[in-house]
Amino acid sequence: MSAPLLKLDQVTIRFGGLTAVSALDFQVNDHDLVGLIGPNGAGKTTVFNLITGVYQPTEGTIAFAGQPTAKRKPHQLTKVGIARTFQNIRLFHSLNVFDNVRAAMQVHRTHGVRQALWRGKAYRAAEKEVEDRVMDLLEIFKLGRLRNEDAKNLPYGDQRRLEIVRALATQPKLLLLDEPAAGMNPTEKAELAGLIRSIKDRFQIAVLLVEHDMQLVMNLCERITVLDYGVKIAEGTPTEIKRHPKVIEAYLGEEQIA
Amino acid sequence: MIPGAKRWLVVAIVLIAIVSAFSKQFNSYYLGIAIDVGINIILAVSLNLIMGHTGQFSLGHAGFMAVGSYTAASFTIACTKHVPESAAPFLLVGGLILGGLLAALCGLAVGVPTLRLRGDYLAIVTLGFGEIIRVVFQNMEAVGAASGLSGIPNYTNFFWSWTTAAIAAYAVAALVNSTYGRGFIAVHDDEIAASAMGINPTRYKVTAFVVGAFFAGVAGALYAHHKQTINPTGFDFMKSFEIVVMVILGGMGRTVGVIIAAILLTILPEMLRPVAEYRMIIYSLLIIVIMMARPQGLFTLRSSKGANT
Amino acid sequence: MTDLLQQLINGLALGSIYALIALGYTMVYGVLRFINFAHGDVFMLGAFAGYYLAEPVAKVIPPQTYLGGIVVLLLAMLICALLGVVIEFLAYRPLRKRPKLTVLITAIGVSLFIEYTCQHEKVFGASPRKFPDLIPNTTWELGGLVVGSAQVIVLVTTILLMIALTLIVQRTKIGTAMRAVAFNPQAAALMGVNVNHVISFTFGLGSALAAAGGILFAMNYASIDPLMGVQTGLKAFVAAVLGGIGNLPGAALGGLLLGVVETFAGGMKGISNYRDAIAFGILILILMFKPSGLLGKQQTEKV
């Protein structure tokens, strides 16, 4: 088998005296749907920031598609195929729904300053293609009719979905979802689960999910990694994780494992 | 048939040419103000790219204008004796491009080191750059030091002022209203989210600074060939601030609003001429009142900008 | 060597004035997170307050005495403190919840308003005036060093005011409240701190220091005009940013550093003409390597 899509090897990051993530080994293969869970403050989002290049690991290496990601900026990593959403929705608030997605098409546009100024035939054809792709994506996620709405005026659930659409517009190989179910009610959560599954199948990509909601992760993910205080305490299938004594201990008193 | 946005540019230039053909009929005082308006539109629209669209608060725009102004003026003064009268428009265009390019170079020099800074820090550093540029000209004997440069040929007319303004407005609007250009606004809204979408914030910020500085330099070049005398104090912090006010009153990131604001704020001081001694007092009070009453800009109805910038 | 020492003394005197003004910038920034552009004008108003107070005070206390000087200084500080509170109340308080940019532009508007109003002939007029001698004008010579009484007063007053400021901020209830608001205004409000009072007090305190700076400046340079606060204010602000804005010792350090560097540069041939650009040159250099200033805390955005 070829190299895994994403491989974290003994990754550690310290902020001052605090070790947020410690010697983490972890991998995601092509078309995987993997969950990363853990109690509050376990370092899940930090792992995302490490993978996407927002932070650089203090020790250890991260490789994406066989290539080390060290020293690469977030926008460079997006270009090679890592996309993400944010825990605290970060849409472009002064752009409308359509343009939020259009802004994320940078990776695959063929023109720059010169073409935008001259607006020749090739430019117009390329822009048309971008527009069609944006609309296709919006339609798939039932956001097409909201195309001219300001992103910040959308209902919460739509904002979360738009963030996913925007991330998909970069045409990733790996999609990182940071607590996509936060603040959703059970019906919305069920819909979301279906959506994530269909994304994985339709776009043929791997999904890495950070989530607080146990039930969602257990139902959705094929493999789960559990973090506690920055340390990996367990890894395995949902059934294995449910029975794992360390996991039960870590979550004891916080919430019941479904 | 020329498609899309370019058509409007051509229509605008034709209209300007027609009006310009009759410009001899106009009172020269009003014509002078009209030329000022064109120049201020260029300044406001170019700062709007940096500040309104990309969100980089800059208090040094007059510095770029000074660079363009001095460069173009030195160029035409040096050349004007060696070429026939009829070559004047070519000299002016040459001066505009040269002034713009040198200003763009300065924009690059300012943009790159200041990128790590945000908000207030960026404001004070750009202000500092503007002041440094001014002090440098103040000490440059070759361009008249503190007393300034005079005897600049009067090449700027209504046609050139407004045509350049139309080109500047088109350029900024065309740039921002493209898939590429949505990146400017994305950087403005949320740098971290933008970089997660494959947008290189540094690249965009520098581009905004360079393009903005280019047009500020062009405006400076027009200004020099309109006033015929320039001196360093004309490009101080106060001038930069006037341009900032145009952008803010116009509603940050709204091309049309910014153009209207540039027109109003050029005419307003002229209208206050009868009360000259209270003019600047009224101006400053107006700024305070407007900031309290309409901080989103004078003409902004909706509270955000969409595709129709 | 004597020459260097002389320059150092001159630089420290100028730097002390920058420091006094910079403290006001930094305090206001600390509690409100915005640049009070009008602060340089309060400095100017302080000098003018001293100018107009000199005569009436001279009727009670003999002119050119240290006591008279101190009385004028304190009165001017009081007047400017009130002015600062009024400016904040009228111009900035209504904008408390607005974007920072709006407030910043308003502050520049206020600054221009003060400058142009004061330049009007019915107010101060635009032409410079000679500042009266408030204190006995003596100079001492110490092994080739020439030190004027005004310079000594600048240094002594600055040190005393800084000690007073430190005591106020660290030891009093209102000072603790100031630090609390600077740290987190919402939390401070929830803890029962009256944020509005604290902000008013901060403006008053900062403006009083600026007024002191204005009078000390006028004593040293003898001439005052309505635009004297523009360049000096800007440089003091640069000093505050240099030290790390929001940081009190940083402002003092930045001010002294800037004063000394400027004075030395002013004495050097070839550079002296660029004196006004030096402050900004240093600022840009330092911010390129330490974006939060010399003593400022590095801030990272949370993702």
Side-chain angles (χ1 to χ4, degrees), chain A residues 54 73-76 78-79 82-86 89-96 99-100 102-107 109 111-114 116-120 123-124 127 130-131 148 150 152 163 166-167 170, chain B residues 3-6 167 170-204 207 211 215 302-308:
Chain A
V54 176
K73 298 259 170 63
H75 64 92
Q76 292 167 323
T78 309
K79 289 200 169 120
I82 304 179
R84 72 176 292 180
T85 64
F86 294 90
I89 305 178
R90 302 184 84 135
L91 290 166
F92 303 128
H93 53 78
S94 57
L95 291 174
N96 62 25
D99 277 337
N100 258 279
R102 183 150 80 118
M105 302 286 265
Q106 303 300 330
V107 184
R109 76 182 148 72
H111 65 272
V113 177
R114 217 154 31 86
L117 287 177
W118 184 247
R119 308 207 154 213
Y123 164 83
R124 274 175 283 133
E127 284 289 79
V130 166
E131 273 168 42
N148 291 324
D150 281 342
K152 59 167 183 247
E163 262 219 327
R166 190 178 64 167
T170 66
Chain B
K6 254 193 306 191
I167 293 173
Y170 166 81
V172 171
L175 208 55
V176 174
N177 284 308
S178 65
T179 300
Y180 165 78
R182 294 285 110 175
F184 289 109
I185 299 167
V187 170
H188 169 264
D189 283 354
D190 190 330
E191 249 178 70
I192 287 173
S195 61
M197 298 306 131
I199 293 163
N200 180 350
T202 312
R203 226 11 224 282
Y204 274 92
T207 307
V211 175
F215 281 111
R302 287 194 317 146
S303 58
S304 91
K305 56 189 166 231
N308 52 343

Side-chain angles (χ1 to χ4, degrees), chain C residues 232-251:
Chain C
T232 316
L234 219 50
K235 283 181 192 161
F237 177 68
V238 167
V241 178
L242 265 185
I245 193 143
N247 183 310
L248 292 179

